[in-house]
């Protein structure tokens, strides 16, 4: 494949050409779909996944509803913090985008003038996915799948080296896991306070019908003693 000869023995560059080379073998419309998906679509899918998990958790309710929502709130917060941590890393490493140093790449999106290492998209999606996995295993597994797909798309699009993506995955995972204990220590009491609020409690658990607590005059209840039930009869 053209470009492999220029890559020498660098497996990072070799893999970049191999994955990005797939873009030359598929229809143009598929490249456009992958470009949009890798740039915006998977980020939107991650947001919808977090919202879907929140909806499921609040409907389930339970005694641990506040702590579950707190863990869920940590997922997008971890993603944001991880991207902020990446800002000085990018400035320190100053690695150019792959298409700057290597010819023959099929770049699917334009306007990328910042540095390459580490990938913001990979960092953000993996941090959110790991945080989501801590909150809810089933939704978290879907999130991890979206993060891995995001990493593949960034290399396919020709805007990141594979090691940019791996570095993003490592950074996102580290932030989500290492900062999770102090984050939960702060978020759980906050979510419990929200749960007790008459106006905002619906954010933690779904409002349930109070039919079980409604007492109809003359109706028998399970808590009535046998003698009272007999008298009522």
């Amino acid at each position: 494949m053209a470009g492999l000869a220029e890559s020498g023995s660098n497996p990072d560059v070799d893999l970049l050409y191999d994955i990005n080379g797939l873009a030359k073998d598929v229809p143009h419309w598929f490249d456009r779909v992958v470009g949009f998906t890798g740039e915006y679509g998977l980020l939107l899918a991650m947001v919808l996944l977090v919202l879907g998990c929140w909806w499921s958790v609040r409907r389930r309710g339970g005694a641990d509803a506040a702590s579950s929502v707190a863990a869920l709130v940590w997922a997008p917060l971890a993603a944001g913090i991880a991207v902020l941590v990446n800002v000085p890393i990018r400035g320190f490493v100053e690695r150019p985008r792959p298409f700057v140093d290597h010819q023959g790449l099929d770049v699917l999106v334009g306007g990328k003038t910042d540095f390459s290492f580490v990938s913001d998209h990979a960092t953000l999606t993996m941090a959110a996915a790991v945080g989501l996995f801590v909150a809810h295993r089933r939704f978290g597994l879907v999130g991890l799948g979206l993060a891995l797909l995001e990493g593949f798309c960034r290399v396919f699009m020709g805007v990141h080296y594979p090691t940019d993506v791996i570095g993003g995955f490592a950074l996102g995972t580290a932030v989500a896991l290492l900062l999770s204990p102090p984050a939960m220590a702060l978020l759980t009491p906050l979510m419990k306070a929200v749960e007790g609020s008459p106006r905002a409690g619906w954010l933690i658990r779904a409002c349930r019908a109070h039919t079980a607590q409604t007492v109809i005059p003359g109706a028998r209840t399970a808590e009535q003693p046998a003698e009272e039930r007999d008298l009522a009869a």
Side-chain angles (χ1 to χ4, degrees), residues 104-197:
L105 293 174
D106 193 2
V107 183
L108 303 187
V109 292
K112 299 296 181 181
T113 58
D114 54 348
F115 295 118
S116 185
F117 185 89
V118 294
S119 167
D120 276 340
H121 282 71
T123 301
L124 192 154
T125 52
M126 184 55 74
V130 172
L132 189 59
F133 184 80
V134 172
H136 195 290
R137 297 293 186 268
R138 179 164 52 87
F139 282 90
L141 288 174
V142 177
L144 291 173
L146 292 178
L148 293 175
L149 182 58
E150 178 69 87
F152 176 83
C153 286
R154 302 307 289 177
V155 180
F156 184 94
M157 294 158 61
V159 295
H160 281 293
Y161 294 94
T163 49
D164 296 338
V165 170
I166 295 173
F169 287 166
L171 176 60
T173 300
V175 169
L177 292 181
L178 294 179
L179 297 184
S180 178
M184 291 300 297
L186 294 173
L187 290 173
T188 300
L190 178 60
M191 292 303 105
K192 287 183 178 179
V194 173
E195 183 181 18
S197 170

Side-chain angles (χ1 to χ4, degrees), residues 27 37 43 48 69 73 95 139 150 159 176 182 208 226:
T37 300
L43 298 179
L48 295 177
V69 174
V73 170
R95 185 184 201 182
F139 282 90
E150 178 69 87
V159 295
R208 301 182 183 278

Side-chain angles (χ1 to χ4, degrees), residues 92-112:
F92 177 76
V93 177
E94 294 186 348
R95 185 184 201 182
R97 294 280 181 169
F99 52 79
V100 174
D101 293 334
H102 303 282
Q103 303 298 317
L105 293 174
D106 193 2
V107 183
L108 303 187
V109 292
K112 299 296 181 181

